Amino acid sequence: MTWRYRRVSRQDGLLSQNDVVRQAGFRLGLVSLLLAVTALVAAARALFLVVYLAIAFRFEVDPISQPLSMYVFVEGGGEAFDSAALALAAAMIALLLGMIRAGVRVRGAPAAYFSIWAGCLVLATVFPTDQSPSIE
């Protein structure tokens, strides 16, 4: 968070040392805007792909009773699922970086959990799954 200073006069009714009022402000710039747009576009892409998977493979995978990762075992569903997972991880990382760039304090457990979650999404797409025929 950055601080902006503005000069005031005694007639404004604001009393401060040396007639200066300190106001909190966020650093919003081009980089923060690009990171926000990247996060929104990546999250929208992930949402679109998951909806596509639910509609295109509705007879092979029941999205209510089976986990989302079952789309990996459907012919043609693995690539779209991997792309959705990577897009969601990219959206989370862009969101965290944008918040940091804007001056928001990103500390503690929530930042660590979101970072670990994004890393786990990437690891889940990088390492191959067991494609044996006994998996339902």
Side-chain angles (χ1 to χ4, degrees):
M1 183 179 305
T2 60
W3 294 94
R4 290 180 291 193
Y5 297 94
R6 69 180 174 100
R7 188 146 308 272
V8 295
S9 64
R10 300 250 183 233
Q11 290 83 18
D12 291 338
L14 300 171
L15 298 176
S16 66
Q17 185 178 12
N18 299 330
D19 295 330
V20 175
V21 174
R22 196 166 89 165
Q23 295 177 330
F26 292 106
R27 297 181 309 234
L28 298 178
L30 183 62
V31 175
S32 298
L33 179 65
L34 288 176
L35 286 170
V37 169
T38 301
L40 287 173
V41 168
R45 176 181 167 79
L47 176 66
F48 173 77
L49 286 171
V50 169
V51 170
Y52 163 75
L53 286 170
I55 293 171
F57 301 108
R58 64 186 174 272
F59 299 114
E60 289 87 0
V61 177
D62 182 17
I64 304 298
S65 65
Q66 293 177 323
L68 192 61
S69 60
M70 292 301 288
Y71 288 112
V72 173
F73 303 112
V74 177
E75 184 69 32
E79 296 82 13
F81 177 77
D82 289 345
S83 179
L86 288 175
L88 193 56
M92 180 52 60
I93 296 301
L95 179 68
L96 285 173
L97 290 176
M99 288 172 58
I100 292 169
R101 178 78 179 153
V104 177
R105 289 186 190 173
V106 182
R107 296 182 185 167
Y113 293 151
F114 283 135
S115 300
I116 291 169
W117 176 61
C120 289
L121 283 173
V122 172
L123 288 176
T125 59
V126 169
F127 290 106
T129 57
D130 184 14
Q131 296 286 348
S132 69
S134 64
I135 296 176
E136 292 184 27

